[in-house]
């Protein structure tokens, strides 16, 4: 059985040391802000998260770009040239064209190298929901599972990766078309906080509104209480609000036995749309 590499992209929002320890190959998406292009590397070498979110709070807006076919082709070809197969787990096709680019590249690489296996999975996930799915795939690989077995595991498990999140500022969702201008204005005045999730197709779906930050955090915990099938691994991502993320973690650990809890930033590609103060919870649920 040929060795294989798990390839993903930076919208997984995993901490860089964790991605390195798992021997992942991670390609960065990019964004342009104030006339400069930045790459969303997990180690934040292009821009520090605090700097990025400070700019957002000051009114700067970015435009984001998916990974193109050429970048995927170059990376996949290099891995195949080393005698390795590739399992690519991509950012949700419901939010980006990254998955489509990976599929085209995989076909081209396998046509040029008929003995290779380059498989692509649409995570239908975002941020550390994608990161959680990748983490679980790595654990299966470490059990000695072959590339097709892990691909099949990912295809099944992605329907059980729950994403629940809230945002602090409705105006960023307004810019992305998730709420109307009127709803954003009234909601901001009344301190209304939406609770959203990512559906089976990888789209962001508003589910409810609560008044105040604490209530929105309790709502995330309540969703986990209702839907979780496995609380051993929990991931939390945040838009430059680490204190809230740690408080949410404490609320969860007071109710559940959690073996591994990881907190990380929402990266700039996703954070550009969700805004500062985003708080997201990811776990394995009975269904998505």
């Amino acid at each position: 059985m040929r060795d294989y590499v798990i390839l993903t992209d930076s919208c997984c929002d995993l901490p860089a040391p964790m991605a390195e320890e798992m021997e992942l190959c991670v390609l960065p998406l990019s964004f342009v802000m104030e006339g400069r292009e930045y790459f969303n590397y997990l180690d934040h070498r292009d821009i520090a998260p605090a700097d990025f979110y400070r700019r957002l709070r000051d009114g700067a807006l970015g435009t984001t770009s998916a990974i193109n076919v050429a970048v995927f082709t170059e990376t996949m070809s290099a891995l195949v040239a080393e005698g390795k197969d590739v399992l690519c787990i991509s950012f949700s096709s419901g939010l980006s064209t990254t998955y489509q680019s990976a599929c085209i590249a995989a076909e081209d690489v396998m046509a040029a190298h008929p003995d290779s296996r380059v498989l692509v999975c649409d995570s239908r996930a975002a941020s550390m929901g994608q990161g959680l799915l990748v983490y679980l795939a790595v654990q299966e690989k470490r059990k000695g599972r072959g590339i097709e077995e892990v691909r099949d595991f990912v295809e099944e498990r992605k329907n059980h990766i729950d994403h629940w999140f809230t945002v602090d500022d409705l105006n960023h969702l307004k810019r992305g078309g998730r709420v109307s201008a009127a709803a954003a204005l009234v909601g901001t005045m009344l301190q209304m906080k939406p609770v959203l999730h990512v559906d089976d197709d990888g789209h962001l779906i508003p589910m409810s509104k609560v008044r105040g930050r604490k209530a929105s955090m309790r709502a995330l915990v309540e969703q986990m209480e209702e839907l979780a099938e496995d609380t051993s691994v929990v991931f939390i991502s945040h838009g430059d609000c680490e204190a809230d993320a740690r408080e949410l973690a404490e609320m969860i650990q007071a109710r559940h036995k959690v073996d591994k809890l990881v907190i990380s930033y929402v990266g700039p590609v996703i954070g550009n749309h969700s805004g500062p103060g985003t708080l997201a919870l990811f776990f394995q649920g009975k269904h998505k």
Side-chain angles (χ1 to χ4, degrees):
M1 183 175 68
R2 280 166 58 107
D3 190 15
Y4 62 98
V5 173
I6 294 181
L7 169 67
T8 191
D9 57 74
S10 60
C11 282
C12 67
D13 286 343
L14 289 166
M18 186 175 176
E20 183 178 358
E21 188 274 330
M22 292 193 294
E23 300 181 300
L24 298 174
C25 180
V26 184
L27 295 178
L29 279 78
S30 63
F31 67 100
V32 174
M33 179 176 274
E34 297 177 325
R36 177 181 165 184
E37 182 179 31
Y38 298 89
F39 286 91
N40 179 194
Y41 293 108
L42 295 184
D43 63 6
H44 314 304
R45 70 188 74 163
D46 264 13
I47 185 170
D51 184 24
F52 168 75
Y53 282 106
R54 176 188 59 77
R55 295 188 194 187
L56 280 188
R57 289 186 179 101
D58 289 344
L61 290 175
T63 56
T64 59
S65 298
I67 301 170
N68 63 38
V69 174
V71 170
F72 271 119
T73 300
E74 180 181 4
T75 301
M76 292 171 174
S77 296
L79 292 170
V80 166
E82 295 174 2
K84 296 177 181 177
D85 289 334
V86 180
L87 175 60
C88 177
I89 304 173
S90 80
F91 184 29
S92 172
S93 64
L95 300 169
S96 171
T97 60
T98 294
Y99 168 70
Q100 287 83 356
S101 295
C103 289
I104 294 168
E107 290 180 7
D108 291 345
V109 172
M110 285 194 292
H113 303 273
D115 294 334
S116 67
R117 297 285 286 156
V118 183
L119 308 180
V120 182
C121 297
D122 178 1
S123 72
R124 294 188 181 173
S127 189
M128 289 186 78
Q130 178 183 340
L132 176 55
L133 185 62
V134 170
Y135 170 83
L136 295 172
V138 170
Q139 307 319 303
E140 292 301 303
K141 181 177 186 288
R142 287 176 170 174
K143 294 175 185 176
R145 312 282 194 231
I147 187 170
E148 285 88 0
E149 291 177 291
V150 178
R151 185 269 316 277
D152 293 345
F153 169 84
V154 169
E155 291 296 337
E156 185 280 329
R157 192 62 351 210
K158 72 185 184 183
N159 298 315
H160 296 271
I161 303 296
D162 274 47
H163 305 53
W164 289 88
F165 69 103
T166 187
V167 300
D168 201 36
D169 183 353
L170 286 163
N171 287 304
H172 285 275
L173 292 181
K174 178 194 74 175
R175 295 186 189 106
R178 299 295 169 186
V179 299
S180 68
L185 176 62
V186 173
T188 300
M189 292 172 60
L190 297 178
Q191 282 293 296
M192 299 302 294
K193 308 297 181 184
V195 176
L196 307 94
H197 88 125
V198 174
D199 71 5
D200 290 346
D201 295 320
H203 297 103
L204 305 183
I205 307 296
M207 296 298 292
S208 63
K209 294 177 184 176
V210 295
R211 181 170 292 182
R213 182 67 159 181
K214 298 296 184 183
S216 69
M217 293 167 67
R218 287 194 296 271
L220 298 182
V221 176
E222 288 166 4
Q223 290 298 334
M224 184 173 173
E225 293 274 350
E226 180 181 346
L227 298 172
E229 69 171 3
D230 184 341
T231 62
S232 62
V233 183
V234 176
F235 286 4
I236 295 171
S237 61
H238 65 93
D240 199 32
C241 54
E242 185 173 352
D244 285 349
R246 295 202 175 280
E247 183 176 348
L248 178 62
E250 290 172 1
M251 293 167 68
I252 291 165
Q253 289 169 317
R255 294 166 173 78
H256 300 279
K257 184 181 184 301
V258 180
D259 297 323
K260 188 176 187 65
L261 194 149
V262 181
I263 297 173
S264 188
Y265 276 94
V266 176
V269 168
I270 296 173
N272 184 68
H273 301 287
S274 58
T278 298
L279 188 59
L281 173 62
F282 309 95
F283 56 89
Q284 296 179 75
K286 301 167 190 173
H287 54 78
K288 204 163 192 177

